[in-house]
Amino acid sequence: MTAESNPNGGQPQQVNLQQIAQQFMSGLQRHFDMLAFNLASREAVQEETYNQHVNAPRIMPAAPRHQNFEQMQAYARDLLVRQVIGDSLNLTVTAMNNAHFFLALVKATNANKDVTPDAQKAAQESQQAFIPAQLDEKFNRLEKDYGIMCELEDSITSLGFVMQILMQQNGVVKAEQVDEQGELAIELKSVEIQEAAVEGQPQGKLVDLRKVFRAEDIVFFSDVELQLVLVSVASFADSLFKSVAEYARSVQEGA
């Protein structure tokens, strides 16, 4: 599925949805692999090795404020959680921006490869308005303008609250951040191994793992849950890109 744009007034540039999706997933996999590496490194590090590196330069910027091994373990864990949640939100926004650019081109050209100056201008203006929009507004615009309902929208929104909680509230959930059931819930995508095997190989089924926080809870994610956050972003993006492709097909068939 492709569309073409001509942002510089020269030769049209082809925008390939499949390529966009593949590049996004490749980048997301690097985030996943880096997280696994960091988790493995944290498990392997020893206090003696930490102290050797601390003392190697024989000088510190502010020695009285030096933190010991246990303090740094806790700090590094908290930092990792904030990084994973922040990266996940940034990746989600990137996927939505990329998807919207393709959608704007399809809508402006009526799925025609010939991009007129007026269609090009309309697509660019639509994209320029979409990029700075807040996360909830992005979801609203995708639904209103293109009829796309995003899978895991509520969970992505909850991750936004979680990031706010981690950065501004010392990790403590406030009452105004929970729903009518008193929950701040996140649906994490996980794999459930089925009992029945096919050709001797166990089969996995994608399932939802519900992570719930309540008012006054301290936000905490296990190592595996952090990994599943990235898996959930992958599921979100995969569903989004498929919806974009379906929209393009529907416009093309109706043209």
Side-chain angles (χ1 to χ4, degrees):
M1 185 67 62
T2 62
E4 291 184 352
S5 66
N6 188 8
N8 301 316
Q11 292 297 318
Q13 295 181 344
Q14 192 175 69
V15 180
N16 187 299
L17 180 61
Q18 184 177 11
Q19 185 178 26
I20 290 174
Q22 289 175 346
Q23 289 176 345
F24 178 85
M25 289 300 184
S26 294
L28 182 54
Q29 182 62 44
R30 284 193 294 273
H31 279 269
F32 183 89
D33 293 341
M34 192 65 202
L35 173 58
F37 183 85
N38 286 336
L39 293 173
S41 299
R42 183 172 57 85
E43 287 185 0
V45 68
Q46 300 293 321
E47 183 172 5
E48 180 181 355
T49 305
Y50 168 70
N51 289 332
Q52 287 176 353
H53 283 282
V54 167
N55 296 318
R58 300 181 181 179
I59 189 172
M60 299 183 193
R65 297 186 179 277
H66 164 65
Q67 293 191 319
N68 63 33
F69 180 70
E70 291 183 355
Q71 289 172 319
M72 283 309 302
Q73 274 188 316
Y75 175 76
R77 183 61 168 71
D78 290 343
L79 189 64
L80 180 63
V81 172
R82 292 197 296 270
Q83 179 181 339
V84 171
I85 301 301
D87 286 350
S88 297
L89 289 170
N90 289 335
L91 287 164
T92 298
V93 169
T94 297
M96 296 174 77
N97 288 345
N98 289 343
H100 181 269
F101 179 58
F102 189 89
L103 289 166
L105 283 172
V106 170
K107 187 174 185 178
T109 61
N110 201 28
N112 193 320
K113 288 186 177 182
D114 295 326
V115 183
T116 66
D118 287 343
Q120 175 184 317
K121 181 179 179 181
Q124 289 175 334
E125 289 178 349
S126 179
Q127 182 71 353
Q128 288 169 0
F130 185 84
I131 287 177
Q134 296 295 315
L135 189 61
D136 57 344
E137 180 62 19
K138 289 181 187 291
F139 284 122
N140 291 338
R141 291 190 182 187
L142 288 177
E143 180 180 357
K144 178 182 177 181
D145 296 343
Y146 309 101
I148 291 180
M149 300 284 291
C150 293
E151 180 189 14
L152 296 175
E153 176 180 345
D154 291 342
S155 292
I156 298 299
T157 301
S158 292
L159 282 179
F161 282 125
V162 167
M163 193 63 191
Q164 178 184 348
I165 292 165
L166 292 171
M167 298 299 294
Q168 302 176 13
Q169 301 166 203
N170 294 320
V172 181
V173 180
K174 292 184 178 180
E176 58 266 27
Q177 292 167 323
V178 300
D179 60 19
E180 295 177 354
Q181 286 72 44
E183 298 178 343
L184 176 61
I186 302 171
E187 300 288 347
L188 299 175
K189 292 296 181 180
S190 183
V191 170
E192 182 180 88
I193 302 300
Q194 304 295 296
E195 292 184 4
V198 178
E199 297 181 354
Q201 297 295 323
Q203 298 298 299
K205 176 184 177 183
L206 201 62
V207 297
D208 291 330
L209 178 65
R210 202 160 184 265
K211 179 76 173 177
V212 176
F213 301 105
R214 300 183 183 277
E216 303 304 322
D217 280 354
I218 300 292
V219 168
F220 175 81
F221 290 87
S222 70
D223 290 352
V224 172
E225 286 171 341
L226 284 178
Q227 293 175 288
L228 292 181
V229 168
L230 292 175
V231 171
S232 301
V233 172
S235 178
F236 165 83
D238 180 67
S239 175
L240 174 60
F241 290 133
K242 287 178 179 177
S243 295
V244 171
E246 181 59 34
Y247 173 84
R249 278 193 293 269
S250 66
V251 171
Q252 194 170 37
E253 291 171 357

